[in-house]
Amino acid sequence: MARTSKKAKAVTVATVAEAATDVEIRTVGDVLANVTAVRPVPETVPASGETVFIPLNKLKKSARNARKTPHTEAEIEAYAGSIAAKGILQNLVVEPELADGQPTGCYFVTIGEGRRLAQLLRAKRKQIKKTEPIRCVIDTANDPFEISLDENVTRAAMHPADQFAAFYELSENRGWGAEEIAARFGVTAHVVKQRLRLGAVSPKLMQVYRDGGLTLDQLMAFAITEDHARQEQVYDGLGYNKEPWLIRRDLTKANVAATDRRAIFVGPEAYTEAGGTIIRDLFTEDRGGFYEDAALLDQLVIEKLEGIAQQVQDGEGWKWVDVHIDYPHGNGMRRSYPQLVDLSEEDEAAYAAAKDEYDRLTAEWEGTDDDLPPDVDERFAELEAEIEGIDAKRRAYHPDDISRGGVYVVLSHDGEARIERGFIRPEDEQPEPEEAEDGETVIDGIRVNGDGEVIEHSGYDEDGSHVSELDAEDEEVEEDGKPLSDLLIRDLTAHRTLGLRLALGEQPDMALIAVTHALAAQTFYRGVEAHVLEIRPNSTHLASHADGIADTAAAKTLADRHEAWASDMPRDVANLWGFIAGLDHASVMALFAHCASLTVNAVKLPWERKPRAHGTADRLATAVALDMTAHWTPTVRTYLGRVTKAHIVAAVREAVGDEAADRIASMKKQPMAEAAEQLLAGTGWLPPLLRTGKPAWLDASQAETAEPVDPEAMPAETPDPDAEAADPDAPNPDAEDGSEDMDGEAFQRAAE
């Protein structure tokens, strides 16, 4: 009796199928539980083929199950979710456990191990009891291993398209959300959203997918938008190339990525509130999606910029403000900059007090290794803000510039408003006074004396005599004061020029001031011929050669440096010489270097043949120790998306190694470029055109300490595309008179 008491309390079920048909009222699990409660439990093992209910804790894993790879957690979760919503729809197949030829009351699960594990998971979560009755079919006639294998092999899986369509139907017809569907099928809500998105793809493309004309990756690419007409239009235009990245690109080329500066500036909340739609790719990292209505986004950007511009105009009093998404380069206007002004007594006192307190706190906490107390740290921040605010008042725009000038409010590269002040339109320029005799000037046809008083003219003198008559009478007297002839003036000033050349060539320090004056006069003062040296600083507009270069951090640094010098310049160019001459040597050199730097042009154009100029650019880069890693990084936009796959693999191989290069070598172009961007980040890799050669002195010092190197083992140098033009026997493209270059010996003789 002891052994009999341990047997399973199993019950034969004959009418389970009939009882379970009323799915609208009761679940299968409810029906089975009711049947179990009313049927007696037999004391013997049921015959093969009978359907019985066995307590969950009496079911064991079978060693003869053909599936050896364990179920994943996701699979078990899916089973558990499905069973919780709908019950066990398919019987487990079991065989009795025997010990010494006698049944133990436990059963091995031959078919349905995943469902057993799912029920154990539900029992662990207290959703069911450990003794929950499980519907099983007894099978002692077939080989457990064979039927386990047969159950997994002899079946046809549902086509994914049918699954996508079914999920979509549950959502559309029954109104179930992603969360509810996910709970009923034991998957995540994100997976449900993906399947719903796939189910919403154009029926035409879904049929192409069923027929094998599209892969799942390609179908997922089409699912980035729900516009069936757009999907079909892109599909019809693909041709033979149906790469997923190409499909996504074509579907979103009229949209704006969320990483775009316009999207960052407006923000998703304001865009959606205005009626815009954001497309999200559920199958890839979309970094925030794509803004579908580019025109609406541009409109919102302009409106927000106009609001900022109006605040600037109201607060500062400029004559005009203008907004643009892109900075209006080449606007043809002169630009003024803020000048040094004296602070008010109140500001001076406030600055001194803030500086004293800041210095006192610094001295008090300087030797402390621990973090500053929150109140002290906050006070430091307040003092720094106050000092910076007062310092900003030391420079101000001239009231005349504000009354005649304007402001551009544009969108910067990082999605922030950029305010550029001090532009003077040509029609708002103050007219230059015309020179007149006797220290008088003429402004708009009105004669003004040296004191600024208007000189009124009449045709008669004080005695009432006509001026023309007096001129005729005094003709002989005026002969004595007649100015020098133009020919003589030219002759004398030519001799003076010769003398200046001779003297300036003997005074290098003064030559530096003169050259700096010539450069600065033309760099900071437009349309004013105030320089005596015939040096013309030409500055190539780089924005016409590289899109977006004006919005880079390097361009911002250069603009800030230029603005700092411009703010120090005197308003009147006549005072420029005195300003430069009064600078210390280091400041003169700094101003000279800045003006000279704006004339650098190392851009290579396809129609130009300037090998010597480019060679000089290389030597200049070496001389200044140019490190382009501080100003440029290889990204899909800047480099990787614009070169061949071979270039991408070579870059990764050089910067990261063979393993990483081999890993991406089989990828398609777009995924390869994106993967390479991540791999090259932080490596400091640069394409050969951006690399700086080592200085000669460094090569010499390394050669003294380095071991001998086999010349045959050295890699071949990369040929210079301009090298053929540097051939001594080739015509010199830079020669102005069209003559050919001298050969090497002739050049050496000329140098000697």
Side-chain angles (χ1 to χ4, degrees), residues 120-149:
L120 288 175
L121 178 62
R122 296 184 65 216
K124 181 179 179 181
R125 294 173 175 172
K126 307 299 183 181
Q127 296 175 356
I128 59 174
K129 297 180 180 180
K130 294 182 179 179
T131 57
E132 176 81 5
I134 307 299
R135 185 177 57 182
C136 304
V137 174
I138 306 296
D139 191 330
T140 57
N142 296 304
D143 175 43
F145 180 80
E146 181 179 352
I147 62 174
S148 173
L149 177 64

Side-chain angles (χ1 to χ4, degrees), residues 161 164-165 168 195-210 214 218-236 251:
F164 306 150
Y168 186 73
R195 294 174 183 175
L196 292 176
R197 181 67 65 85
L198 289 168
V201 171
S202 162
K204 173 184 175 181
L205 299 186
M206 188 66 74
Q207 188 58 47
V208 175
Y209 171 58
R210 294 178 191 272
L214 286 174
Q218 292 165 345
L219 189 71
M220 289 190 297
F222 278 109
I224 195 173
T225 177
E226 297 181 4
D227 186 344
H228 290 180
R230 180 63 179 152
Q231 292 172 348
E232 294 172 7
Q233 179 187 24
V234 170
Y235 174 77
D236 294 338
L251 283 171

Side-chain angles (χ1 to χ4, degrees), residues 503-577:
L504 190 61
E506 297 171 350
Q507 301 180 46
D509 291 342
M510 193 54 62
L512 175 63
I513 293 177
V515 173
T516 303
H517 175 271
L519 295 176
Q522 298 171 84
T523 301
F524 296 99
Y525 302 87
R526 292 189 53 186
V528 178
E529 293 291 334
H531 53 285
V532 68
L533 273 63
E534 292 187 333
I535 298 175
R536 299 290 180 181
N538 295 324
S539 185
T540 299
H541 185 49
L542 297 180
S544 61
H545 297 299
D547 185 35
I549 192 173
D551 289 324
T552 61
K556 180 66 169 58
T557 302
L558 180 60
D560 290 344
R561 188 176 74 191
H562 184 81
E563 182 173 349
W565 275 114
S567 299
D568 291 338
M569 294 287 132
R571 282 183 55 81
D572 190 346
V573 70
N575 300 323
L576 179 61
W577 180 274

